[in-house]
């Protein structure tokens, strides 16, 4: 901002155009955050300032040396200001630049700081709301998954005790829980069918033999029997 003001004021300083120099100060003061702006001759004479026309023409070299002094003289609190200066120069070909004036600008970051704080607060509130929503969604999803898994766990305990007449009623689901429930129901149906066949088998052989075959299914394979000497009694009922 200071350099822009200096570049804009070169012609005004050369022409000693007080109105143009005042306009340069006014234009700079319109920028957000600018608290003061002043233009001085190399000897410290004030050419234009944001403090009004009362300081124009006064020789205040201390303002050239210190931004704090410039803020104090212009009646501005300089505790939180960033002071910047730039020379107003005339450049000619093959000639060193000649300084014809100096400009100084006091800039405050209070507005930007407030905006940043507001952004941080807003972002924090949004993050907290997002976190709360995420926790709520996680709780809902966890409930949707935990309840059917708990139900399957209870049914598995019933199967472990020999009660195979169970059904999960979750086969309608199209997710992994549904696939698991479908496999569980198929397993329970298989066990229930096996239990039925055992009960039917026990009607023709002793419970001990049925239990032995149940625990040793390979005993029914061809060639796996035992050779024993037995006595067979053929019995018929007379006149039956």
């Amino acid at each position: 901002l200071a350099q822009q003001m200096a570049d804009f004021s070169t012609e005004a300083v050369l022409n000693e155009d007080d109105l143009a120099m005042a306009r340069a100060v006014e234009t700079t003061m319109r920028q957000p955050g600018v608290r003061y702006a002043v233009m001085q001759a190399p000897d410290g004479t004030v050419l234009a300032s944001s403090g009004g026309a009362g300081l124009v023409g006064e020789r205040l070299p201390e303002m050239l040396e210190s931004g704090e002094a410039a803020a104090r003289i212009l009646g501005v609190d300089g505790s939180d200001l960033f002071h910047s200066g730039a020379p107003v120069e005339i450049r000619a070909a093959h000639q060193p630049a000649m300084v014809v004036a100096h400009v100084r600008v006091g800039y405050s970051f209070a507005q930007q700081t407030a905006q940043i704080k507001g952004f941080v607060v807003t972002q924090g509130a949004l993050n907290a709301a997002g976190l709360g929503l995420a926790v709520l969604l996680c709780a809902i999803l966890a409930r949707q998954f935990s309840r059917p898994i708990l139900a399957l766990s209870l049914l598995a305990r019933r199967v472990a005790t020999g009660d195979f007449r169970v059904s999960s009623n979750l086969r309608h689901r199209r997710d992994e829980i549904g696939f698991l429930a479908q496999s569980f129901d198929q397993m329970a149906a298989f066990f229930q069918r096996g239990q039925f066949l055992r009960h039917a088998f026990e009607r023709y052989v002793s419970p001990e033999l049925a239990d032995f075959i149940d625990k040793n299914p390979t005993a029914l394979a061809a060639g796996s029997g035992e050779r024993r000497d037995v006595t067979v009694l053929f019995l018929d009922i007379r006149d039956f």
Side-chain angles (χ1 to χ4, degrees), residues 141-221:
L141 292 176
R143 185 178 180 85
Q144 290 182 349
F145 281 98
S146 63
R147 292 183 64 181
I149 291 177
L150 179 60
L152 288 175
S153 176
L154 296 176
L155 293 177
R157 292 183 182 180
R158 291 177 56 183
V159 171
T161 60
D163 183 7
F164 304 128
R165 294 173 298 178
V166 297
S167 177
S168 64
N169 296 324
L170 297 171
R171 304 179 65 176
H172 63 280
R173 294 180 61 131
R174 299 303 181 201
D175 54 5
E176 290 78 2
I177 300 296
F179 297 148
L180 178 61
Q182 183 177 1
S183 300
F184 181 86
D185 290 343
Q186 292 175 352
M187 178 190 68
F190 175 79
F191 288 156
Q192 186 177 5
R193 189 163 51 249
Q195 187 181 50
F196 171 78
L197 293 176
R198 173 170 177 162
H199 289 166
F201 191 59
E202 287 179 350
R203 298 179 60 184
Y204 302 98
V205 299
S206 64
E208 292 79 7
L209 180 58
D211 186 65
F212 173 79
I213 294 176
D214 185 38
K215 295 180 179 179
N216 302 277
T218 58
L220 295 178

Side-chain angles (χ1 to χ4, degrees), residues 123-137:
Q123 190 67 28
L126 292 176
N127 290 340
L131 180 60
L133 180 60
V135 171
L136 179 61
L137 291 177

Side-chain angles (χ1 to χ4, degrees), residues 105-124:
V105 174
Y107 189 86
S108 173
F109 290 94
Q111 183 177 0
Q112 287 77 358
T113 302
Q115 292 176 348
I116 292 175
K117 289 182 178 179
F119 173 78
V120 171
V121 172
T122 303
Q123 190 67 28

Side-chain angles (χ1 to χ4, degrees), residues 34-45:
V34 176
R35 293 295 179 264
Y36 76 82
V38 61
M39 184 185 307
Q40 295 178 268
D43 63 352
T45 302

Side-chain angles (χ1 to χ4, degrees), residues 28-130:
T28 303
M29 289 297 297
R30 291 175 182 173
Q31 302 301 317
V34 176
R35 293 295 179 264
Y36 76 82
V38 61
M39 184 185 307
Q40 295 178 268
D43 63 352
T45 302
V46 177
L47 302 177
S49 77
S50 57
L55 295 177
V56 175
E58 292 191 25
R59 189 170 179 274
L60 301 170
E62 59 271 24
M63 295 178 63
L64 291 175
E65 302 173 357
S66 171
E68 289 78 6
R72 184 179 66 257
I73 294 173
L74 294 173
V76 177
D77 182 11
S79 58
D80 63 340
L81 297 184
F82 178 80
H83 307 278
S84 178
V88 179
E89 297 177 330
I90 298 177
R91 296 181 179 274
H94 308 294
Q95 296 292 332
M98 182 175 63
V99 178
V100 294
H102 293 275
V103 299
R104 185 176 293 278
V105 174
Y107 189 86
S108 173
F109 290 94
Q111 183 177 0
Q112 287 77 358
T113 302
Q115 292 176 348
I116 292 175
K117 289 182 178 179
F119 173 78
V120 171
V121 172
T122 303
Q123 190 67 28
L126 292 176
N127 290 340

